[in-house]
């Protein structure tokens, strides 16, 4: 067989498939709260934990969570990362992003809510390392126009 | 309960292959069958591990996978989490005495689809994780920061994992990444997702691994050196990352149950070699802690001590690990294959320079090690 010098032949394929996923009553109520700039959690009557985002049932106790509580919009950074690279689906205009997990005051989740930090020039990495720290205090900043989804919180602002 | 022997393994290399998935899968399967002199229809059962749409771009698992592995018109089943569970599912009917031989195959062609980070962003739920950019690497970076911060692990110590594993991979013909790097190379590589650097993240690889399992009697007939299945444990953590302590994964639970089944009380002394699944360098250190190779928070000191080097007392990832070869889904079976070859004394150029009696193979999937599984093999 002759030595193959050309690039091996390939078939290009691209799929676009739409999905529509039900939010269910618990997350619907949670995101309706976002429209009114409120962060709602659910409380477990067995272990007493307050969880955010709200849950239909306590994952540990496996009992329904029917009690709703409004929680604080301030909290503490548990950990964070500085996302500064592109890949298919993420273009240069979408970066950098500071991902962080935030333990909201009065909420019992381990590492807290996963979200993004902003409100200053986050392209300046030196500045980022000065301001964004594990244990730093943060506050939710809402979008003016809210649609009842997770991006209604524009970003979390560092409280100096 | 019957003993299970691992008779023979075959692996393909991780670099981009011009073969179609069909012929790429066929080769290692055929190699295993030829080595033991069996025909495909003489195998009692087939267990596969592969992925449909996201990591393969085809929902043709029911066509290509079965034909290429020789599994059609036989009892067969497929796993989509990690191939290390296919290995265990393959052991079970032999333990029960229902089968004499089972062929396990893990397969993927990583070069044919989008980046892992694109694909793992679909692992995140569309309600409150995907909208903030959570995928495997961004999640791992947050786990790493917590690890550095809580235990004072240094970035140099994490970089040493890359240096060690890629150096081991130079001697493994099946590894994907072949390059010698220094600690400085790792530290100076692009900070793609601070604190994670580009060289600390696993590649995306091709990989088919085929393995023939047999009952004790049959295994002794088919090979002069069977390797024995000794123990297994696994555990799945809760889905939402926010509910977990990212430095306290289910690996401790999985390892404890595998050690109990294998009768291991001091893993650090009794295990001769460990193959771990470390798609991010720091995870090898964290996994070593949770596997009981050192105390909690001491993973940095462990790598500093040289114990986990290929010449050390407890080599970790002599194959080069997942940092050198990352065929998604199949990667867990590659860990088992390396453990098998080390016990058989057939690892070739990276064969350990000591007697290998007990080996550990670990795998994980999901963000920050959501699922953890541990297999123990013995001579
Ligand atoms: Zn509860």
């Amino acid at each position: 067989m002759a030595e193959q010098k050309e690039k091996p032949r390939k078939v290009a394929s691209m799929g676009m498939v739409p999905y529509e996923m039900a939010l269910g009553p618990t997350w619907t109520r949670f995101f309706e709260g976002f429209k009114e700039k409120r962060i709602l959690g659910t409380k477990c009557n067995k272990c007493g934990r307050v969880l955010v985002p709200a849950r239909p049932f306590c994952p540990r106790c496996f009992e329904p969570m029917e009690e709703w509580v409004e929680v604080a919009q301030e909290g503490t950074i548990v950990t964070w990362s500085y996302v500064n690279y592109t890949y298919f689906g993420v273009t240069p205009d979408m970066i950098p992003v500071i991902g962080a997990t935030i333990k909201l005051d009065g909420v019992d989740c381990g590492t807290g809510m996963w979200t993004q930090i902003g409100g200053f020039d986050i392209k300046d990495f030196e500045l980022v390392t000065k301001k964004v720290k594990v244990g730093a205090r943060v506050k939710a900043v809402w979008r003016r126009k809210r649609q009842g989804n997770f991006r209604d919180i524009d970003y979390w602002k560092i409280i100096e | 309960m019957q003993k299970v022997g691992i008779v023979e393994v075959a692996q393909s290399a991780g670099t981009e292959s011009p073969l179609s998935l069909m012929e790429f899968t066929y080769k290692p399967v055929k190699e295993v069958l030829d080595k033991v002199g069996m025909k495909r229809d003489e195998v009692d059962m087939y267990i596969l591990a592969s992925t449909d749409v996201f990591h393969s771009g085809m929902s043709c698992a029911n066509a290509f996978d079965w034909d290429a592995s020789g599994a059609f018109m036989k009892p067969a089943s497929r796993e989509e989490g990690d191939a290390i569970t296919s290995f265990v599912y393959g052991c079970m009917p032999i333990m029960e005495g229902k089968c004499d031989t089972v062929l396990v195959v893990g397969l993927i062609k990583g070069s044919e689809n989008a980046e892992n980070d694109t694909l793992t962003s679909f692992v995140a739920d569309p309600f409150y994780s995907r909208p903030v950019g959570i995928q495997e690497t961004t999640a791992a970076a947050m786990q790493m920061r917590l690890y550095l911060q809580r235990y004072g692990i240094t970035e140099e110590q994490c970089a040493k994992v890359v240096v060690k594993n890629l150096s081991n991979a130079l001697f493994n013909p099946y590894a994907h990444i072949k390059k010698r790097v220094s600690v400085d190379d790792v530290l100076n590589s692009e900070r793609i997702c601070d604190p994670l650097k580009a060289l600390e993240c696993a590649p995306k690889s091709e990989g088919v691994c085929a393995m023939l399992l047999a009952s004790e009697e049959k295994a002794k007939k088919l090979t002069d050196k069977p390797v024995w299945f000794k123990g297994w444990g696994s555990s799945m953590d809760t889905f939402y990352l926010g509910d977990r302590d990212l430095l306290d994964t289910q690996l401790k639970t999985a390892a404890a149950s595998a050690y109990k089944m294998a009768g291991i009380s001091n893993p650090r002394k009794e295990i001769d070699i460990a193959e771990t699944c470390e798609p991010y360098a720091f995870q090898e250190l964290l996994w070593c802690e949770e596997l009981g190779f050192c105390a909690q928070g001491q993973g940095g000191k462990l790598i500093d001590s040289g114990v986990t080097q290929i010449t050390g007392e407890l080599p970790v990832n002599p194959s080069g690990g997942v940092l050198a070869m990352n065929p998604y889904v199949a990667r867990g079976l590659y860990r088992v294959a390396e453990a098998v070859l080390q016990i058989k004394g057939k690892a070739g150029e990276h064969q350990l320079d000591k007697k290998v009696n007990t080996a550990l193979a670990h795998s994980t999937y999901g963000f920050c090690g959501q699922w953890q599984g541990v297999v123990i093999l013995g001579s």
Side-chain angles (χ1 to χ4, degrees):
Chain A
M1 205 162 60
E3 202 183 322
Q4 208 172 348
K5 288 230 172 75
E6 285 163 42
K7 271 191 96 177
R9 273 196 65 193
K10 289 180 179 180
V11 170
S13 166
M14 173 81 87
M16 277 271 284
V17 185
Y19 294 90
E20 286 188 12
M21 299 170 198
L23 272 173
T26 306
W27 292 339
T28 298
R29 184 162 172 188
F30 175 70
F31 286 121
E32 285 301 309
F34 271 33
K35 284 187 185 165
E36 299 159 14
K37 298 193 191 178
R38 297 166 72 206
I39 303 177
L40 301 173
T42 44
K43 186 174 178 179
C44 175
N45 288 322
K46 206 163 181 194
C47 68
R49 294 187 307 155
V50 173
L51 300 184
V52 173
R55 316 295 158 88
F57 54 89
C58 173
R60 278 187 210 161
C61 305
F62 219 56
E63 295 292 336
M65 279 183 125
E66 281 153 353
E67 192 184 333
W68 287 80
V69 283
E70 182 169 356
V71 303
Q73 302 196 3
E74 288 189 13
T76 308
I77 296 179
V78 177
T79 183
W80 61 281
S81 66
Y82 189 74
V83 188
N84 198 18
Y85 69 115
T86 58
Y87 45 95
F88 182 80
V90 172
T91 45
D93 57 304
M94 293 161 75
I95 55 167
V97 164
I98 305 172
T101 79
I102 291 163
K103 193 162 163 49
L104 295 176
D105 299 345
V107 173
D108 299 301
C109 300
T111 45
M113 193 152 79
W114 290 61
T115 184
Q116 293 177 358
I117 306 290
F120 64 98
D121 181 15
I122 64 165
K123 284 198 161 65
D124 182 350
F125 184 62
E126 289 303 309
L127 185 62
V128 169
T129 54
K130 279 195 192 101
K131 287 172 87 89
V132 185
K133 290 192 160 49
V134 172
R137 297 284 298 164
V138 288
K139 186 182 189 331
V141 176
W142 297 91
R143 283 176 198 251
R144 198 161 295 148
K145 267 195 157 175
R146 293 174 302 281
Q147 296 172 316
N149 64 44
F150 214 68
R151 300 309 306 271
D152 283 350
I153 298 177
D154 200 7
Y155 57 85
W156 292 73
K157 182 183 164 41
I158 306 279
I159 306 170
E160 309 277 351
Chain B
M1 215 161 50
Q2 307 290 310
K3 273 176 87 171
V4 181
I6 297 110
V7 176
E8 203 54 77
V9 301
Q11 308 168 69
S12 62
T15 40
E16 183 176 345
S17 164
L19 300 180
S20 74
L21 179 62
M22 185 72 111
E23 52 210 320
F24 188 63
T25 304
Y26 168 74
K27 288 202 165 192
V29 174
K30 180 72 171 154
E31 185 185 329
V32 163
L33 291 172
D34 286 352
K35 273 182 185 166
V36 296
M38 281 177 81
K39 298 216 164 23
R40 69 157 199 94
D41 53 345
E42 289 167 350
V43 177
D44 292 334
M45 187 187 274
Y46 286 79
I47 313 279
L48 272 50
S50 69
T51 164
D52 264 355
V53 182
F54 283 133
H55 288 274
S56 98
M58 274 195 275
S59 193
C60 292
N62 282 339
F64 277 27
D65 293 10
W66 303 120
D67 283 25
S69 60
F72 63 96
M73 294 171 81
K74 298 299 283 185
S77 171
R78 193 171 64 90
E79 153 74 28
E80 184 137 357
D82 184 272
I84 206 167
T85 28
S86 316
F87 168 77
V88 176
Y89 295 156
C91 290
M92 286 174 182
I94 296 174
M95 291 164 86
E96 279 179 31
K98 290 218 165 98
C99 286
D100 270 331
T101 50
V102 176
L103 191 69
V104 182
V105 188
L107 56 127
I108 192 89
K109 278 202 85 195
S111 70
E112 299 187 347
N113 39 73
E115 293 100 315
N116 278 335
D117 294 332
T118 302
L119 302 175
T120 62
S121 70
F122 288 98
V123 176
D125 71 87
F127 308 110
Y128 41 74
S129 300
R130 218 183 291 166
V132 288
I134 303 293
Q135 31 86 341
E136 201 175 68
T137 302
T138 53
M142 293 202 233
Q143 186 182 33
M144 178 174 173
R145 178 159 338 260
L146 213 53
Y147 189 45
L148 302 181
Q149 199 96 26
R150 192 180 296 171
Y151 298 120
I153 307 284
T154 66
E155 294 195 29
E156 287 77 12
Q157 287 168 328
C158 300
K160 280 184 182 177
V161 174
V162 186
V163 175
K164 167 176 73 70
N165 292 3
L166 291 190
S167 147
N168 293 348
L170 292 172
F171 303 97
N172 178 4
Y174 305 109
H176 177 187
I177 303 298
K178 302 268 190 174
K179 62 178 167 192
R180 194 175 286 285
V181 298
S182 66
V183 167
D184 281 342
D185 291 337
V186 178
L187 294 176
N188 295 327
S189 66
E190 197 188 346
R191 286 191 172 254
I192 58 161
C193 197
D194 187 84
L196 267 178
K197 275 79 69 190
L199 278 175
E200 292 176 313
C201 304
K204 187 176 172 68
S205 314
E206 321 270 60
V208 176
C209 182
M211 192 176 291
L212 186 75
L213 316 179
S215 60
E216 183 172 9
E217 202 184 324
K218 189 84 178 172
K220 284 177 176 163
K221 276 188 198 147
L222 292 171
T223 175
D224 51 4
K225 181 119 201 235
V227 170
W228 304 106
F229 170 59
K230 296 281 188 185
W232 156 249
S234 76
S235 189
M236 177 65 92
D237 209 335
T238 177
F239 153 70
Y240 188 51
L241 284 155
D243 290 356
R244 301 190 228 153
D245 177 348
L246 301 181
L247 302 185
D248 184 13
T249 80
Q250 287 303 297
L251 183 50
K252 281 181 212 157
T253 313
S257 114
Y259 293 159
K260 190 177 171 205
M261 184 172 167
I264 289 173
S265 51
N266 185 345
R268 168 72 176 76
K269 291 270 171 284
E270 293 171 59
I271 292 165
D272 298 310
I273 164 250
E275 276 286 317
T276 67
C277 180
E278 61 345 336
Y280 303 95
F282 74 94
Q283 287 180 337
E284 183 182 295
L285 306 179
L286 180 58
W287 301 161
C288 281
E289 295 174 14
E290 298 193 314
L291 286 166
F293 298 165
C294 62
Q296 193 165 35
Q298 300 298 305
K301 286 192 182 131
L302 185 74
I303 185 111
D304 284 344
S305 74
V307 163
T308 57
Q309 296 289 333
I310 197 157
T311 50
E313 268 176 60
L314 173 44
V316 175
N317 289 320
S319 73
V322 169
L323 282 171
M325 172 73 175
N326 185 24
Y328 237 89
V329 187
R331 66 191 184 187
L333 201 58
Y334 271 81
R335 312 274 70 70
V336 180
E338 173 68 15
V340 168
L341 292 174
Q342 288 290 352
I343 291 175
K344 277 181 176 271
K346 286 186 175 169
E349 275 194 276
H350 66 292
Q351 178 67 44
L352 301 180
D353 189 18
K354 66 171 183 180
K355 179 105 182 70
V356 180
N357 291 317
T358 306
L360 178 148
H362 155 258
S363 201
T364 182
Y365 64 88
F367 297 152
C368 301
Q370 184 186 359
W371 180 89
Q372 301 275 14
V374 174
V375 162
I376 308 289
L377 302 178
S379 56

